[in-house]
Amino acid sequence: MKAFGLQLCIDDFGTGYSSLAYLHNFPIDVLKIDRSFVNRIDSDTEQFAIVRAIVTLADNLGMNIVAEGVETIDQLVQLKLLQCQQAQGYLFSKPLAQEQARMLLASEQSFFGA
């Protein structure tokens, strides 16, 4: 897969069937933090600690990290403090059709700055 430029991602990490065993059994490139941890990161110290642990784990294993379900600037600020590389959620955009997504990307809007 890697020879074709494909990456393997664990979605909703920290919930359901996403096991720590997968981290050494498969060539994982990206961990996506489940929105259930992100949605209270700015108001719940336990959620913040869990997200910090996942970000640190991914960093130590050389993986990229994506936070799902970012809806507020405060959540984004907390994720930036944790040096989370990527985020997705309604703060950036509601789901879009292909052409609308293309136009949004072409507008060069960025919440993370240059």
Side-chain angles (χ1 to χ4, degrees):
M1 287 192 310
K2 292 200 186 277
F4 291 108
L6 299 174
Q7 293 187 332
L8 192 57
C9 174
I10 296 181
D11 195 21
D12 299 333
F13 187 75
T15 64
Y17 293 104
S18 63
S19 167
L20 289 173
Y22 294 150
L23 300 180
H24 67 85
N25 289 337
F26 299 105
I28 305 297
D29 299 294
V30 180
L31 292 182
K32 290 181 74 177
I33 304 171
D34 187 73
R35 70 179 312 277
S36 64
F37 299 116
V38 174
N39 68 0
R40 293 189 316 264
I41 191 174
D42 56 335
S43 62
D44 184 330
T45 57
E46 289 179 0
Q47 297 293 13
F48 183 86
I50 290 169
V51 172
R52 180 179 56 216
I54 295 171
V55 170
T56 301
L57 175 66
D59 185 54
N60 288 336
L61 295 174
M63 298 174 186
N64 291 325
I65 194 85
V66 177
E68 297 178 331
V70 178
E71 297 180 359
T72 69
I73 293 291
D74 289 339
Q75 292 168 343
L76 181 61
V77 167
Q78 294 300 313
L79 291 165
K80 286 177 75 171
L81 288 172
L82 293 173
Q83 299 180 355
C84 182
Q85 298 134 337
Q86 298 178 18
Q88 67 184 55
Y90 284 173
L91 176 63
F92 307 104
S93 176
K94 303 279 193 247
L96 300 172
Q98 180 180 354
E99 187 56 35
Q100 292 172 309
R102 189 175 293 129
M103 289 173 32
L104 177 65
L105 293 173
S107 72
E108 299 183 30
Q109 293 180 6
S110 173
F111 284 87
F112 284 100

